[in-house]
Amino acid sequence: MALFSPESKLYKGISFVGNMLLLNLFWVLFSLPIITIGASTLALYSTFFKIMEGTEGYLFRDFWKGFKSNWKQGTILWLITLAAGYGFYLDFQILKTDPGIPVIVASIVAFVFICFSLLYAYPLSARYENKFYMHIKNSFLLSTRYLGKTFFLILILAFEIGLFIWNQHTLIFLVVIGPAVLVYTIAGTAKKVFLTNDEKVKNDAAMEKAKEEGREYMENLSRKILEQKAEEKGCENLENGDKSSDIDGKIEP
């Protein structure tokens, strides 16, 4: 009985796979109009984040809430992704004509730049409130700041996609569970990157605040010392003035 208890690893594993299949089904259904793929993807990210943090409720309710709240930014990001994909297609057509080393290098740089700009843009949009272009900018900055994690994530994604398109038989898994697996993989790495970066930003802010408080303390201390010296000098001048008056007031016999 312990094998099938809610706390057993087997039960949790079966439950996890079931949730993945169900969420993938939601993603497919909500992506059928094509234009809604971005919002559907952000809904998938937001639901996975809740699952990872243990704050999930009913899957459909969480997915639907994420879909509604991320409709606008999801659509914009999806249109940008489509434009980037079309650009890659045109670039690939150019590369097939053997254009030369400079064009090849420029194509690689452009590919890396766009990948870095979009890799974390979707999970950022699902987790944080910001303008869509700021999510794209922050995605590129996080990709370059955590370069090791980013390249490792890209390798894992390439491996997973390779498995899904290995042959005609594995293509069914690409439809049944593929999107959910890829999004979950990105969400897992993104969550670690976000937590690490948030902690760094928090520590930097605390350090900057401490430095500012230290500067204010030193400025106040210097001001007090100068005021004290001015008071002492004023008192000394006053005493010297009194002594001079006494000397001048003496009458010689």
Side-chain angles (χ1 to χ4, degrees):
M1 292 296 292
L3 187 64
F4 296 98
S5 67
E7 300 301 323
S8 68
K9 293 182 178 180
L10 178 61
Y11 181 89
K12 290 181 178 179
I14 295 174
S15 178
F16 175 76
V17 173
N19 289 339
M20 292 282 283
L21 291 170
L22 192 58
L23 286 172
N24 194 82
L25 177 62
F26 294 159
W27 184 88
V28 172
L29 292 177
F30 278 78
S31 298
L32 287 178
I34 305 301
I35 192 65
T36 59
I37 288 179
S40 184
T41 302
L42 290 187
L44 196 57
Y45 273 112
S46 64
T47 306
F48 275 138
F49 281 139
K50 290 181 179 180
I51 291 175
M52 292 174 183
E53 295 168 355
T55 59
E56 78 278 9
Y58 294 104
L59 288 181
F60 181 77
R61 184 176 62 187
D62 291 339
F63 188 92
W64 174 243
K65 183 179 179 181
F67 184 86
K68 289 192 299 181
S69 61
N70 293 296
W71 164 261
K72 183 178 179 180
Q73 284 208 352
T75 303
I76 294 174
L77 287 175
W78 172 235
L79 292 175
I80 293 173
T81 304
L82 281 177
Y86 183 67
F88 288 152
Y89 168 77
L90 294 178
D91 190 54
F92 180 72
Q93 299 302 316
I94 294 174
L95 291 177
K96 289 197 301 183
T97 63
D98 192 18
I101 300 299
V103 175
I104 295 175
V105 172
S107 299
I108 294 174
V109 172
F111 178 79
V112 172
F113 177 80
I114 293 175
C115 284
F116 280 13
S117 298
L118 292 176
L119 183 60
Y120 295 118
Y122 283 87
L124 278 170
S125 184
R127 191 174 180 87
Y128 301 101
E129 290 288 340
N130 212 336
K131 301 292 185 181
F132 76 91
Y133 54 84
M134 290 303 300
H135 289 315
I136 294 174
K137 175 184 176 181
N138 291 334
S139 174
F140 180 80
L141 294 176
L142 288 174
S143 296
T144 53
R145 180 176 297 175
Y146 302 96
L147 200 57
K149 288 184 173 64
T150 299
F151 275 124
F152 185 66
L153 171 60
I154 292 174
L155 288 176
I156 294 176
L157 292 173
F159 176 74
E160 290 175 347
I161 293 172
L163 288 179
F164 286 132
I165 63 174
W166 184 259
N167 54 44
Q168 294 180 348
H169 301 291
T170 57
L171 283 175
I172 185 65
F173 294 102
L174 179 62
V175 178
V176 173
I177 201 172
V181 170
L182 296 175
V183 168
Y184 185 82
T185 301
I186 298 174
T189 301
K191 183 173 181 291
K192 295 177 182 178
V193 169
F194 295 166
L195 290 176
T196 303
N197 190 70
D198 289 346
E199 188 66 24
K200 184 179 183 301
V201 170
K202 183 179 178 180
N203 292 337
D204 290 345
M207 186 177 298
E208 187 62 30
K209 183 179 179 181
K211 289 180 179 179
E212 184 63 28
E213 291 176 350
R215 282 195 294 266
E216 291 179 359
Y217 173 78
M218 294 303 297
E219 288 175 0
N220 292 332
L221 182 62
S222 299
R223 191 180 302 111
K224 288 181 180 180
I225 292 174
L226 291 174
E227 290 175 355
Q228 185 177 2
K229 287 183 177 180
E231 290 177 0
E232 291 175 354
K233 187 175 182 180
C235 292
E236 183 179 348
N237 291 336
L238 183 60
E239 291 177 358
N240 292 334
D242 292 341
K243 290 180 180 179
S244 298
S245 298
D246 292 342
I247 295 174
D248 295 340
K250 289 182 180 180
I251 301 175
E252 294 293 335

